[in-house]
Each structure stands twice: as structure tokens, then as C-alpha cells.
Amino acid sequence: MSHQQEQGPSPGARLRQLLATGETLLCPGVYDGLTARMALAAGFKCLYMTGAGVSMSRIGMADLGLATQTEMVDATGMIAGIDRNIPLIADADTGYGTAVNVARTVERYITAGVAGFHIEDQVVTKKCGHLGGKECVSLEEYLSRIKAAVEVRKKRASDVVIIARTDALAGQGLDEALHRLKSAAKVGADVVFLEAIKTQEQLETYSATFRGTGVVTLYNMVQGSTVGLKITAKEAAQHGVGIVLYPGVCLVPAYLGITSALQALKDGRVEERYEAVPPQEIFEVCGMNEIQGFDKEVNDWVQLFLKNNE
């Protein structure tokens, strides 16, 4: 059951409307139903499905390209379906193969209800963007991925937002990375995503390159990263960044909190620490009142129907 019935524009159109305001869009990284529900309850205008979070929560594996297309599509559809009125940007990794694989991925992501997704230029056996030792495909192969996504969008008459990500900065330098993003934008990407920016100068050059072009820039704010530059939402806005992703905003507190709770359980302190949060409070965040209301409405209707047709 959806959290809220979809009304009005499609998810892609909703995301485009948000981007058209010129305000920096802050997107919390969610990876399952509970984190998505909490982000919705907090009132965010757009969510981001983190591939690292899905990989760790769904298959218990680090973000090393082990989560499959099917697992990612399933997670995407579940999260996007909770509230169709709030757009979801999803990690689509490398597209999971060649151009034909990318096309199938995009078809399935659009059907799942995403508002936007990012495709990257790492090899299929990818790594998290904030790890070392990343390898990128050729520019030709990268652009074939973006072109495949653009063609599927056209075929489906969709307004899904295509985000071109590059990990080339770490191994090939800023000039090559920006060349890749400019080429991807020419092919049809709406948003560009330079991963693992290290310095203020790189951020300024990245922002200046696309300022006034109509192409939206994205920044990936990975909390705790030893690689990426830390910037605030205000600083992102000052640089004209259109989207800021926070992939670890739910994952890190969950890791810290659950680790602490498990230790408290071992020490015999779990009740005194967590009894202040009744299960009902969490159930309510996860749609309990809506579900029970729907159930009552159906049963009341059936009772009335039977009474009138005795």
C-alpha cells in the first residue's frame, strides 16, 4: 500500500519542478522502507536511494558492485512506491553492463517510478566512489551508457532525470573528468555528478564549468569520508550546486545506534536505554494509521453492502 496516492505530475516532472526553482535540493540517503519513511516524516522534498546502503542492508556486502540490477530495481520500486508525490533519485551504478544492459536498467527504473537516476563510468566490477583503486571505462563506452539511457527515455516518452556521474577525477584528473561530464551533457544528461571532489579549487572549477549552461551540478556529501571535500548546504548553494546527496545521513546513525544498542543488550542495559520509544511510535511513522484506516473503510463498506443486500 502506498503512503500517499500519486496526484498530478509524474515523479520526473516533480523533480524538474524542484530543480527549476534554482534552490539547492538536499536529498537524504535512504536504503530501505524504514529510512524512507523517516525521511518522508521529516518533510524532505526529495529522497536519494544510496547504492552503498542498499548493498549493505539488502545483501550484507560492502559497496563493491555485488548488488545486482534485480536487487537494486526491487529496492527502488519499494522506496519510490511509498509516496509517489515525493521524487526519488536512485543510484543505478554502471547500468550493470553494456549499452543494452543499461537500456534494460533504465526501462525498469522508469517502470519502478524513479524521478531520476545516476549512471557512472566505472568498470562493471565497481567500487564505492570514495574508495581507492577505482577503474573507469573509456569515454566511448561511458557515452554509450548515457546515450542508451537517453534513447530509452525518448522511447518511453518519459521525463525521468538522467544524471551523468564520473569517477575519473581520482585516476585521470580534473580536465578529463570535466571533459567526460561535458560530453555526457551534450549526449542528453540533465545533471552532472563529479565524484570525490577533494579541494575547494576543484569544486570552484566544476561549478564554473557548468554555470549558465542549463546543466545542473550535483555534489555528493559523504559524511566521514577521508577522500571528499566537506561542504555545508550553504556553501553548496553559494557555488550554484543544484543537488546535494547525503548518502550516509541514515546509514551512519543506524550503524552507531544499533552497535550501541547491541552492546547495551550484552551489558544488560537495553531496557533502561530504549524504553522511551514505544513500538507504536515507529509503527505510526511506517503508516500504521493509514493502513488501519484503509482496513476499516473497506470493512465498513462490506458491512453496509451486506446489510443493504440482505
Side-chain angles (χ1 to χ4, degrees), residues 1-5 28-49 75 77-86 88 250 280-292 294:
M1 177 185 295
S2 296
H3 173 76
Q4 187 174 351
Q5 185 179 4
V30 302
Y31 49 86
D32 62 9
L34 179 57
T35 54
R37 286 282 189 173
M38 290 190 287
L40 290 170
F44 282 94
K45 297 178 181 178
C46 183
L47 306 185
Y48 170 62
M49 190 192 81
M78 180 272 294
I79 292 171
I82 293 175
D83 189 341
R84 295 289 188 183
N85 294 313
I86 302 299
L88 174 71
C250 294
Q280 184 170 350
E281 181 177 332
I282 303 173
F283 293 162
E284 287 174 356
V285 168
C286 290
M288 182 177 69
N289 293 339
E290 177 202 0
I291 295 166
Q292 290 180 332
F294 178 80

mmCIF file of all heavy atoms in Angstrom, residues 1-5 28-49 75 77-86 88 250 280-292 294:
data_model
loop_
_atom_site.group_PDB
_atom_site.id
_atom_site.type_symbol
_atom_site.label_atom_id
_atom_site.label_comp_id
_atom_site.label_asym_id
_atom_site.label_seq_id
_atom_site.Cartn_x
_atom_site.Cartn_y
_atom_site.Cartn_z
ATOM 1 N N MET A 1 0.852 -1.205 0.000
ATOM 2 C CA MET A 1 0.000 0.000 0.000
ATOM 3 C C MET A 1 0.880 1.244 0.000
ATOM 4 O O MET A 1 1.810 1.365 0.793
ATOM 5 C CB MET A 1 -0.885 0.006 1.248
ATOM 6 C CG MET A 1 -1.748 1.251 1.379
ATOM 7 S SD MET A 1 -2.643 1.269 2.939
ATOM 8 C CE MET A 1 -3.705 -0.149 2.696
ATOM 9 N N SER A 2 0.625 2.167 -0.905
ATOM 10 C CA SER A 2 1.396 3.395 -0.966
ATOM 11 C C SER A 2 1.078 4.296 0.218
ATOM 12 O O SER A 2 -0.027 4.301 0.740
ATOM 13 C CB SER A 2 1.103 4.154 -2.269
ATOM 14 O OG SER A 2 1.531 3.406 -3.380
ATOM 15 N N HIS A 3 2.090 5.062 0.612
ATOM 16 C CA HIS A 3 1.905 6.023 1.699
ATOM 17 C C HIS A 3 0.892 7.074 1.297
ATOM 18 O O HIS A 3 0.100 7.534 2.092
ATOM 19 C CB HIS A 3 3.269 6.659 2.001
ATOM 20 C CG HIS A 3 3.219 7.780 2.988
ATOM 21 N ND1 HIS A 3 3.077 7.578 4.327
ATOM 22 C CD2 HIS A 3 3.290 9.118 2.823
ATOM 23 C CE1 HIS A 3 3.073 8.736 4.955
ATOM 24 N NE2 HIS A 3 3.195 9.689 4.056
ATOM 25 N N GLN A 4 0.926 7.451 0.023
ATOM 26 C CA GLN A 4 0.019 8.504 -0.456
ATOM 27 C C GLN A 4 -0.229 8.294 -1.936
ATOM 28 O O GLN A 4 0.688 7.954 -2.691
ATOM 29 C CB GLN A 4 0.659 9.883 -0.228
ATOM 30 C CG GLN A 4 -0.267 11.052 -0.535
ATOM 31 C CD GLN A 4 0.379 12.364 -0.161
ATOM 32 O OE1 GLN A 4 1.413 12.403 0.466
ATOM 33 N NE2 GLN A 4 -0.234 13.443 -0.547
ATOM 34 N N GLN A 5 -1.449 8.454 -2.376
ATOM 35 C CA GLN A 5 -1.777 8.258 -3.780
ATOM 36 C C GLN A 5 -1.115 9.324 -4.636
ATOM 37 O O GLN A 5 -1.079 10.499 -4.293
ATOM 38 C CB GLN A 5 -3.292 8.328 -3.965
ATOM 39 C CG GLN A 5 -3.746 8.018 -5.387
ATOM 40 C CD GLN A 5 -5.247 8.064 -5.515
ATOM 41 O OE1 GLN A 5 -5.940 8.399 -4.563
ATOM 42 N NE2 GLN A 5 -5.748 7.729 -6.683
ATOM 43 N N PRO A 28 18.340 13.313 1.426
ATOM 44 C CA PRO A 28 18.887 12.340 2.371
ATOM 45 C C PRO A 28 18.984 10.961 1.748
ATOM 46 O O PRO A 28 18.093 10.530 1.008
ATOM 47 C CB PRO A 28 17.860 12.364 3.512
ATOM 48 C CG PRO A 28 16.579 12.739 2.849
ATOM 49 C CD PRO A 28 16.958 13.702 1.757
ATOM 50 N N GLY A 29 20.064 10.262 2.030
ATOM 51 C CA GLY A 29 20.255 8.922 1.515
ATOM 52 C C GLY A 29 19.477 7.898 2.317
ATOM 53 O O GLY A 29 19.698 7.721 3.510
ATOM 54 N N VAL A 30 18.547 7.211 1.658
ATOM 55 C CA VAL A 30 17.765 6.154 2.300
ATOM 56 C C VAL A 30 18.078 4.849 1.583
ATOM 57 O O VAL A 30 18.567 4.840 0.451
ATOM 58 C CB VAL A 30 16.257 6.456 2.258
ATOM 59 C CG1 VAL A 30 15.961 7.783 2.945
ATOM 60 C CG2 VAL A 30 15.735 6.498 0.816
ATOM 61 N N TYR A 31 17.779 3.730 2.240
ATOM 62 C CA TYR A 31 18.150 2.452 1.642
ATOM 63 C C TYR A 31 17.155 1.330 1.917
ATOM 64 O O TYR A 31 17.310 0.220 1.427
ATOM 65 C CB TYR A 31 19.541 2.015 2.129
ATOM 66 C CG TYR A 31 19.712 2.090 3.630
ATOM 67 C CD1 TYR A 31 19.327 1.034 4.453
ATOM 68 C CD2 TYR A 31 20.255 3.220 4.232
ATOM 69 C CE1 TYR A 31 19.469 1.103 5.824
ATOM 70 C CE2 TYR A 31 20.404 3.299 5.597
ATOM 71 C CZ TYR A 31 20.022 2.234 6.391
ATOM 72 O OH TYR A 31 20.153 2.307 7.755
ATOM 73 N N ASP A 32 16.124 1.609 2.700
ATOM 74 C CA ASP A 32 15.078 0.621 2.956
ATOM 75 C C ASP A 32 13.782 1.342 3.308
ATOM 76 O O ASP A 32 13.729 2.580 3.315
ATOM 77 C CB ASP A 32 15.490 -0.370 4.049
ATOM 78 C CG ASP A 32 15.730 0.301 5.405
ATOM 79 O OD1 ASP A 32 15.425 1.510 5.566
ATOM 80 O OD2 ASP A 32 16.216 -0.387 6.319
ATOM 81 N N GLY A 33 12.743 0.565 3.610
ATOM 82 C CA GLY A 33 11.451 1.172 3.884
ATOM 83 C C GLY A 33 11.440 2.042 5.117
ATOM 84 O O GLY A 33 10.811 3.108 5.134
ATOM 85 N N LEU A 34 12.131 1.619 6.164
ATOM 86 C CA LEU A 34 12.119 2.375 7.412
ATOM 87 C C LEU A 34 12.813 3.718 7.254
ATOM 88 O O LEU A 34 12.276 4.752 7.663
ATOM 89 C CB LEU A 34 12.769 1.559 8.533
ATOM 90 C CG LEU A 34 12.848 2.241 9.899
ATOM 91 C CD1 LEU A 34 11.467 2.660 10.395
ATOM 92 C CD2 LEU A 34 13.528 1.320 10.916
ATOM 93 N N THR A 35 14.013 3.729 6.654
ATOM 94 C CA THR A 35 14.708 5.004 6.481
ATOM 95 C C THR A 35 13.942 5.921 5.537
ATOM 96 O O THR A 35 13.899 7.139 5.739
ATOM 97 C CB THR A 35 16.144 4.791 5.970
ATOM 98 O OG1 THR A 35 16.124 3.982 4.777
ATOM 99 C CG2 THR A 35 17.000 4.105 7.025
ATOM 100 N N ALA A 36 13.300 5.347 4.515
ATOM 101 C CA ALA A 36 12.491 6.168 3.610
ATOM 102 C C ALA A 36 11.315 6.787 4.357
ATOM 103 O O ALA A 36 11.009 7.976 4.196
ATOM 104 C CB ALA A 36 11.994 5.322 2.437
ATOM 105 N N ARG A 37 10.641 5.995 5.173
ATOM 106 C CA ARG A 37 9.508 6.511 5.953
ATOM 107 C C ARG A 37 9.950 7.633 6.889
ATOM 108 O O ARG A 37 9.257 8.646 7.050
ATOM 109 C CB ARG A 37 8.889 5.380 6.763
ATOM 110 C CG ARG A 37 8.066 4.391 5.951
ATOM 111 C CD ARG A 37 6.695 4.954 5.619
ATOM 112 N NE ARG A 37 5.829 3.928 5.036
ATOM 113 C CZ ARG A 37 4.556 4.112 4.781
ATOM 114 N NH1 ARG A 37 3.992 5.276 5.047
ATOM 115 N NH2 ARG A 37 3.826 3.149 4.243
ATOM 116 N N MET A 38 11.087 7.476 7.531
ATOM 117 C CA MET A 38 11.567 8.508 8.453
ATOM 118 C C MET A 38 11.914 9.792 7.703
ATOM 119 O O MET A 38 11.636 10.902 8.183
ATOM 120 C CB MET A 38 12.770 7.992 9.246
ATOM 121 C CG MET A 38 12.391 6.922 10.263
ATOM 122 S SD MET A 38 13.740 6.490 11.408
ATOM 123 C CE MET A 38 14.804 5.555 10.312
ATOM 124 N N ALA A 39 12.519 9.658 6.524
ATOM 125 C CA ALA A 39 12.846 10.848 5.729
ATOM 126 C C ALA A 39 11.577 11.554 5.254
ATOM 127 O O ALA A 39 11.515 12.788 5.237
ATOM 128 C CB ALA A 39 13.719 10.456 4.539
ATOM 129 N N LEU A 40 10.553 10.778 4.888
ATOM 130 C CA LEU A 40 9.278 11.372 4.494
ATOM 131 C C LEU A 40 8.624 12.081 5.674
ATOM 132 O O LEU A 40 8.094 13.191 5.538
ATOM 133 C CB LEU A 40 8.347 10.292 3.946
ATOM 134 C CG LEU A 40 8.733 9.694 2.590
ATOM 135 C CD1 LEU A 40 7.882 8.469 2.284
ATOM 136 C CD2 LEU A 40 8.607 10.722 1.472
ATOM 137 N N ALA A 41 8.677 11.442 6.850
ATOM 138 C CA ALA A 41 8.093 12.053 8.050
ATOM 139 C C ALA A 41 8.798 13.346 8.421
ATOM 140 O O ALA A 41 8.194 14.260 8.981
ATOM 141 C CB ALA A 41 8.148 11.062 9.214
ATOM 142 N N ALA A 42 10.089 13.436 8.080
ATOM 143 C CA ALA A 42 10.861 14.645 8.375
ATOM 144 C C ALA A 42 10.560 15.780 7.400
ATOM 145 O O ALA A 42 10.968 16.922 7.625
ATOM 146 C CB ALA A 42 12.363 14.333 8.357
ATOM 147 N N GLY A 43 9.861 15.458 6.312
ATOM 148 C CA GLY A 43 9.407 16.508 5.404
ATOM 149 C C GLY A 43 10.336 16.856 4.263
ATOM 150 O O GLY A 43 10.217 17.943 3.684
ATOM 151 N N PHE A 44 11.250 15.956 3.879
ATOM 152 C CA PHE A 44 12.149 16.260 2.764
ATOM 153 C C PHE A 44 11.385 16.259 1.444
ATOM 154 O O PHE A 44 10.453 15.485 1.235
ATOM 155 C CB PHE A 44 13.299 15.255 2.719
ATOM 156 C CG PHE A 44 14.362 15.542 3.741
ATOM 157 C CD1 PHE A 44 14.327 14.926 4.987
ATOM 158 C CD2 PHE A 44 15.376 16.443 3.469
ATOM 159 C CE1 PHE A 44 15.289 15.209 5.947
ATOM 160 C CE2 PHE A 44 16.343 16.731 4.412
ATOM 161 C CZ PHE A 44 16.304 16.112 5.656
ATOM 162 N N LYS A 45 11.817 17.123 0.532
ATOM 163 C CA LYS A 45 11.138 17.281 -0.750
ATOM 164 C C LYS A 45 11.571 16.236 -1.774
ATOM 165 O O LYS A 45 10.900 16.041 -2.784
ATOM 166 C CB LYS A 45 11.424 18.678 -1.322
ATOM 167 C CG LYS A 45 10.897 19.823 -0.468
ATOM 168 C CD LYS A 45 11.271 21.162 -1.084
ATOM 169 C CE LYS A 45 10.773 22.324 -0.245
ATOM 170 N NZ LYS A 45 11.182 23.631 -0.847
ATOM 171 N N CYS A 46 12.710 15.604 -1.531
ATOM 172 C CA CYS A 46 13.241 14.624 -2.472
ATOM 173 C C CYS A 46 14.114 13.645 -1.705
ATOM 174 O O CYS A 46 14.802 14.042 -0.750
ATOM 175 C CB CYS A 46 14.063 15.327 -3.554
ATOM 176 S SG CYS A 46 14.718 14.242 -4.848
ATOM 177 N N LEU A 47 14.073 12.363 -2.083
ATOM 178 C CA LEU A 47 14.887 11.344 -1.432
ATOM 179 C C LEU A 47 15.939 10.817 -2.404
ATOM 180 O O LEU A 47 15.791 10.914 -3.621
ATOM 181 C CB LEU A 47 14.019 10.175 -0.953
ATOM 182 C CG LEU A 47 12.830 10.496 -0.046
ATOM 183 C CD1 LEU A 47 12.178 9.188 0.408
ATOM 184 C CD2 LEU A 47 13.236 11.343 1.143
ATOM 185 N N TYR A 48 16.975 10.235 -1.831
ATOM 186 C CA TYR A 48 18.027 9.605 -2.631
ATOM 187 C C TYR A 48 18.222 8.176 -2.155
ATOM 188 O O TYR A 48 18.391 7.940 -0.953
ATOM 189 C CB TYR A 48 19.344 10.369 -2.498
ATOM 190 C CG TYR A 48 20.528 9.642 -3.099
ATOM 191 C CD1 TYR A 48 20.562 9.343 -4.451
ATOM 192 C CD2 TYR A 48 21.610 9.257 -2.309
ATOM 193 C CE1 TYR A 48 21.637 8.669 -5.012
ATOM 194 C CE2 TYR A 48 22.690 8.586 -2.857
ATOM 195 C CZ TYR A 48 22.702 8.291 -4.208
ATOM 196 O OH TYR A 48 23.775 7.618 -4.757
ATOM 197 N N MET A 49 18.174 7.211 -3.069
ATOM 198 C CA MET A 49 18.447 5.830 -2.702
ATOM 199 C C MET A 49 19.921 5.542 -2.927
ATOM 200 O O MET A 49 20.399 5.534 -4.056
ATOM 201 C CB MET A 49 17.607 4.852 -3.531
ATOM 202 C CG MET A 49 17.702 3.424 -3.009
ATOM 203 S SD MET A 49 17.006 2.194 -4.141
ATOM 204 C CE MET A 49 18.384 1.987 -5.292
ATOM 205 N N ALA A 75 14.554 -2.667 -4.706
ATOM 206 C CA ALA A 75 14.655 -1.657 -3.644
ATOM 207 C C ALA A 75 14.123 -0.313 -4.128
ATOM 208 O O ALA A 75 13.415 0.398 -3.401
ATOM 209 C CB ALA A 75 16.104 -1.523 -3.180
ATOM 210 N N GLY A 77 11.846 0.302 -6.502
ATOM 211 C CA GLY A 77 10.394 0.284 -6.628
ATOM 212 C C GLY A 77 9.697 0.378 -5.298
ATOM 213 O O GLY A 77 8.675 1.064 -5.155
ATOM 214 N N MET A 78 10.240 -0.315 -4.290
ATOM 215 C CA MET A 78 9.632 -0.279 -2.959
ATOM 216 C C MET A 78 9.700 1.127 -2.371
ATOM 217 O O MET A 78 8.708 1.669 -1.878
ATOM 218 C CB MET A 78 10.330 -1.277 -2.038
ATOM 219 C CG MET A 78 9.782 -1.338 -0.625
ATOM 220 S SD MET A 78 10.571 -0.147 0.487
ATOM 221 C CE MET A 78 12.247 -0.802 0.524
ATOM 222 N N ILE A 79 10.866 1.757 -2.452
ATOM 223 C CA ILE A 79 11.042 3.088 -1.858
ATOM 224 C C ILE A 79 10.239 4.132 -2.632
ATOM 225 O O ILE A 79 9.537 4.961 -2.041
ATOM 226 C CB ILE A 79 12.540 3.448 -1.806
ATOM 227 C CG1 ILE A 79 13.264 2.540 -0.809
ATOM 228 C CG2 ILE A 79 12.725 4.914 -1.418
ATOM 229 C CD1 ILE A 79 14.779 2.661 -0.850
ATOM 230 N N ALA A 80 10.312 4.091 -3.959
ATOM 231 C CA ALA A 80 9.580 5.070 -4.766
ATOM 232 C C ALA A 80 8.078 4.942 -4.576
ATOM 233 O O ALA A 80 7.341 5.930 -4.677
ATOM 234 C CB ALA A 80 9.926 4.897 -6.246
ATOM 235 N N GLY A 81 7.608 3.728 -4.288
ATOM 236 C CA GLY A 81 6.180 3.491 -4.164
ATOM 237 C C GLY A 81 5.570 3.903 -2.845
ATOM 238 O O GLY A 81 4.345 3.938 -2.715
ATOM 239 N N ILE A 82 6.381 4.244 -1.865
ATOM 240 C CA ILE A 82 5.832 4.636 -0.565
ATOM 241 C C ILE A 82 5.054 5.940 -0.688
ATOM 242 O O ILE A 82 3.953 6.079 -0.152
ATOM 243 C CB ILE A 82 6.949 4.755 0.494
ATOM 244 C CG1 ILE A 82 7.540 3.368 0.774
ATOM 245 C CG2 ILE A 82 6.406 5.358 1.792
ATOM 246 C CD1 ILE A 82 8.738 3.399 1.709
ATOM 247 N N ASP A 83 5.622 6.902 -1.384
ATOM 248 C CA ASP A 83 4.916 8.162 -1.628
ATOM 249 C C ASP A 83 5.316 8.674 -3.002
ATOM 250 O O ASP A 83 6.394 9.234 -3.173
ATOM 251 C CB ASP A 83 5.256 9.191 -0.551
ATOM 252 C CG ASP A 83 4.377 10.443 -0.645
ATOM 253 O OD1 ASP A 83 3.790 10.675 -1.716
ATOM 254 O OD2 ASP A 83 4.284 11.180 0.353
ATOM 255 N N ARG A 84 4.438 8.473 -3.975
ATOM 256 C CA ARG A 84 4.732 8.863 -5.352
ATOM 257 C C ARG A 84 4.814 10.380 -5.530
ATOM 258 O O ARG A 84 5.268 10.865 -6.575
ATOM 259 C CB ARG A 84 3.654 8.306 -6.290
ATOM 260 C CG ARG A 84 3.604 6.789 -6.361
ATOM 261 C CD ARG A 84 4.786 6.212 -7.101
ATOM 262 N NE ARG A 84 4.634 4.785 -7.323
ATOM 263 C CZ ARG A 84 5.554 4.024 -7.892
ATOM 264 N NH1 ARG A 84 6.685 4.558 -8.299
ATOM 265 N NH2 ARG A 84 5.357 2.726 -8.060
ATOM 266 N N ASN A 85 4.369 11.127 -4.553
ATOM 267 C CA ASN A 85 4.401 12.587 -4.662
ATOM 268 C C ASN A 85 5.760 13.171 -4.287
ATOM 269 O O ASN A 85 6.009 14.348 -4.537
ATOM 270 C CB ASN A 85 3.314 13.203 -3.777
ATOM 271 C CG ASN A 85 1.927 12.840 -4.264
ATOM 272 O OD1 ASN A 85 1.633 12.947 -5.444
ATOM 273 N ND2 ASN A 85 1.081 12.372 -3.367
ATOM 274 N N ILE A 86 6.616 12.355 -3.686
ATOM 275 C CA ILE A 86 7.959 12.802 -3.331
ATOM 276 C C ILE A 86 8.950 12.113 -4.258
ATOM 277 O O ILE A 86 9.091 10.891 -4.232
ATOM 278 C CB ILE A 86 8.288 12.468 -1.857
ATOM 279 C CG1 ILE A 86 7.266 13.107 -0.916
ATOM 280 C CG2 ILE A 86 9.707 12.929 -1.514
ATOM 281 C CD1 ILE A 86 7.202 14.629 -0.991
ATOM 282 N N LEU A 88 12.127 10.444 -6.084
ATOM 283 C CA LEU A 88 13.270 9.646 -5.636
ATOM 284 C C LEU A 88 14.341 9.645 -6.713
ATOM 285 O O LEU A 88 14.074 9.310 -7.867
ATOM 286 C CB LEU A 88 12.833 8.204 -5.349
ATOM 287 C CG LEU A 88 13.968 7.225 -5.013
ATOM 288 C CD1 LEU A 88 14.548 7.537 -3.632
ATOM 289 C CD2 LEU A 88 13.485 5.782 -5.088
ATOM 290 N N CYS A 250 21.502 8.495 7.006
ATOM 291 C CA CYS A 250 20.755 7.477 7.756
ATOM 292 C C CYS A 250 21.648 6.296 8.127
ATOM 293 O O CYS A 250 21.511 5.717 9.210
ATOM 294 C CB CYS A 250 19.574 6.962 6.931
ATOM 295 S SG CYS A 250 18.292 8.185 6.607
ATOM 296 N N GLN A 280 4.752 1.497 19.006
ATOM 297 C CA GLN A 280 3.663 2.174 18.293
ATOM 298 C C GLN A 280 4.150 3.436 17.596
ATOM 299 O O GLN A 280 3.671 3.765 16.508
ATOM 300 C CB GLN A 280 2.533 2.514 19.263
ATOM 301 C CG GLN A 280 1.332 3.144 18.558
ATOM 302 C CD GLN A 280 0.129 3.267 19.465
ATOM 303 O OE1 GLN A 280 0.118 2.732 20.567
ATOM 304 N NE2 GLN A 280 -0.893 3.971 19.011
ATOM 305 N N GLU A 281 5.094 4.151 18.206
ATOM 306 C CA GLU A 281 5.604 5.372 17.591
ATOM 307 C C GLU A 281 6.264 5.066 16.249
ATOM 308 O O GLU A 281 6.081 5.789 15.262
ATOM 309 C CB GLU A 281 6.603 6.051 18.526
ATOM 310 C CG GLU A 281 7.186 7.346 17.977
ATOM 311 C CD GLU A 281 8.111 8.040 18.955
ATOM 312 O OE1 GLU A 281 7.919 7.874 20.179
ATOM 313 O OE2 GLU A 281 9.025 8.745 18.500
ATOM 314 N N ILE A 282 7.032 3.993 16.206
ATOM 315 C CA ILE A 282 7.691 3.594 14.969
ATOM 316 C C ILE A 282 6.668 3.084 13.965
ATOM 317 O O ILE A 282 6.745 3.377 12.767
ATOM 318 C CB ILE A 282 8.771 2.527 15.255
ATOM 319 C CG1 ILE A 282 9.783 3.061 16.271
ATOM 320 C CG2 ILE A 282 9.488 2.130 13.960
ATOM 321 C CD1 ILE A 282 10.793 2.033 16.734
ATOM 322 N N PHE A 283 5.694 2.326 14.445
ATOM 323 C CA PHE A 283 4.639 1.834 13.557
ATOM 324 C C PHE A 283 3.898 2.992 12.891
ATOM 325 O O PHE A 283 3.521 2.931 11.715
ATOM 326 C CB PHE A 283 3.635 0.972 14.330
ATOM 327 C CG PHE A 283 4.195 -0.327 14.845
ATOM 328 C CD1 PHE A 283 3.540 -1.026 15.848
ATOM 329 C CD2 PHE A 283 5.371 -0.857 14.343
ATOM 330 C CE1 PHE A 283 4.033 -2.218 16.328
ATOM 331 C CE2 PHE A 283 5.888 -2.051 14.816
ATOM 332 C CZ PHE A 283 5.218 -2.736 15.807
ATOM 333 N N GLU A 284 3.650 4.059 13.653
ATOM 334 C CA GLU A 284 2.924 5.205 13.116
ATOM 335 C C GLU A 284 3.724 5.892 12.017
ATOM 336 O O GLU A 284 3.159 6.340 11.011
ATOM 337 C CB GLU A 284 2.580 6.174 14.239
ATOM 338 C CG GLU A 284 1.463 5.654 15.155
ATOM 339 C CD GLU A 284 1.212 6.541 16.354
ATOM 340 O OE1 GLU A 284 1.960 7.534 16.527
ATOM 341 O OE2 GLU A 284 0.285 6.236 17.127
ATOM 342 N N VAL A 285 5.039 5.991 12.197
ATOM 343 C CA VAL A 285 5.890 6.547 11.146
ATOM 344 C C VAL A 285 5.784 5.703 9.883
ATOM 345 O O VAL A 285 5.833 6.214 8.761
ATOM 346 C CB VAL A 285 7.361 6.637 11.624
ATOM 347 C CG1 VAL A 285 8.307 6.931 10.454
ATOM 348 C CG2 VAL A 285 7.509 7.725 12.680
ATOM 349 N N CYS A 286 5.604 4.403 10.067
ATOM 350 C CA CYS A 286 5.538 3.464 8.934
ATOM 351 C C CYS A 286 4.118 3.211 8.452
ATOM 352 O O CYS A 286 3.820 2.148 7.885
ATOM 353 C CB CYS A 286 6.232 2.152 9.306
ATOM 354 S SG CYS A 286 8.017 2.338 9.456
ATOM 355 N N GLY A 287 3.221 4.161 8.676
ATOM 356 C CA GLY A 287 1.914 4.129 8.040
ATOM 357 C C GLY A 287 0.829 3.340 8.744
ATOM 358 O O GLY A 287 -0.188 3.019 8.136
ATOM 359 N N MET A 288 1.005 3.050 10.043
ATOM 360 C CA MET A 288 0.022 2.237 10.732
ATOM 361 C C MET A 288 -1.378 2.850 10.695
ATOM 362 O O MET A 288 -2.365 2.150 10.418
ATOM 363 C CB MET A 288 0.435 2.006 12.191
ATOM 364 C CG MET A 288 -0.539 1.122 12.970
ATOM 365 S SD MET A 288 0.012 0.794 14.658
ATOM 366 C CE MET A 288 -0.167 2.427 15.391
ATOM 367 N N ASN A 289 -1.482 4.125 10.957
ATOM 368 C CA ASN A 289 -2.805 4.758 10.994
ATOM 369 C C ASN A 289 -3.483 4.708 9.626
ATOM 370 O O ASN A 289 -4.692 4.459 9.518
ATOM 371 C CB ASN A 289 -2.676 6.202 11.477
ATOM 372 C CG ASN A 289 -2.248 6.290 12.926
ATOM 373 O OD1 ASN A 289 -2.414 5.342 13.687
ATOM 374 N ND2 ASN A 289 -1.677 7.422 13.313
ATOM 375 N N GLU A 290 -2.713 4.936 8.581
ATOM 376 C CA GLU A 290 -3.256 4.889 7.224
ATOM 377 C C GLU A 290 -3.717 3.476 6.889
ATOM 378 O O GLU A 290 -4.802 3.280 6.321
ATOM 379 C CB GLU A 290 -2.188 5.330 6.223
ATOM 380 C CG GLU A 290 -2.640 5.234 4.778
ATOM 381 C CD GLU A 290 -1.476 5.156 3.808
ATOM 382 O OE1 GLU A 290 -0.312 5.177 4.249
ATOM 383 O OE2 GLU A 290 -1.757 5.036 2.606
ATOM 384 N N ILE A 291 -2.908 2.488 7.218
ATOM 385 C CA ILE A 291 -3.253 1.097 6.915
ATOM 386 C C ILE A 291 -4.510 0.673 7.663
ATOM 387 O O ILE A 291 -5.434 0.075 7.094
ATOM 388 C CB ILE A 291 -2.075 0.167 7.265
ATOM 389 C CG1 ILE A 291 -0.875 0.485 6.364
ATOM 390 C CG2 ILE A 291 -2.473 -1.301 7.118
ATOM 391 C CD1 ILE A 291 0.419 -0.135 6.831
ATOM 392 N N GLN A 292 -4.565 0.997 8.951
ATOM 393 C CA GLN A 292 -5.741 0.631 9.743
ATOM 394 C C GLN A 292 -6.979 1.378 9.279
ATOM 395 O O GLN A 292 -8.082 0.818 9.270
ATOM 396 C CB GLN A 292 -5.473 0.904 11.225
ATOM 397 C CG GLN A 292 -4.460 -0.048 11.845
ATOM 398 C CD GLN A 292 -4.218 0.236 13.307
ATOM 399 O OE1 GLN A 292 -4.354 1.367 13.779
ATOM 400 N NE2 GLN A 292 -3.840 -0.797 14.048
ATOM 401 N N PHE A 294 -7.571 2.378 6.206
ATOM 402 C CA PHE A 294 -7.990 1.742 4.957
ATOM 403 C C PHE A 294 -8.732 0.437 5.243
ATOM 404 O O PHE A 294 -9.775 0.156 4.645
ATOM 405 C CB PHE A 294 -6.761 1.471 4.090
ATOM 406 C CG PHE A 294 -7.062 0.768 2.798
ATOM 407 C CD1 PHE A 294 -7.546 1.466 1.704
ATOM 408 C CD2 PHE A 294 -6.856 -0.600 2.675
ATOM 409 C CE1 PHE A 294 -7.826 0.823 0.518
ATOM 410 C CE2 PHE A 294 -7.138 -1.258 1.491
ATOM 411 C CZ PHE A 294 -7.619 -0.537 0.406
#
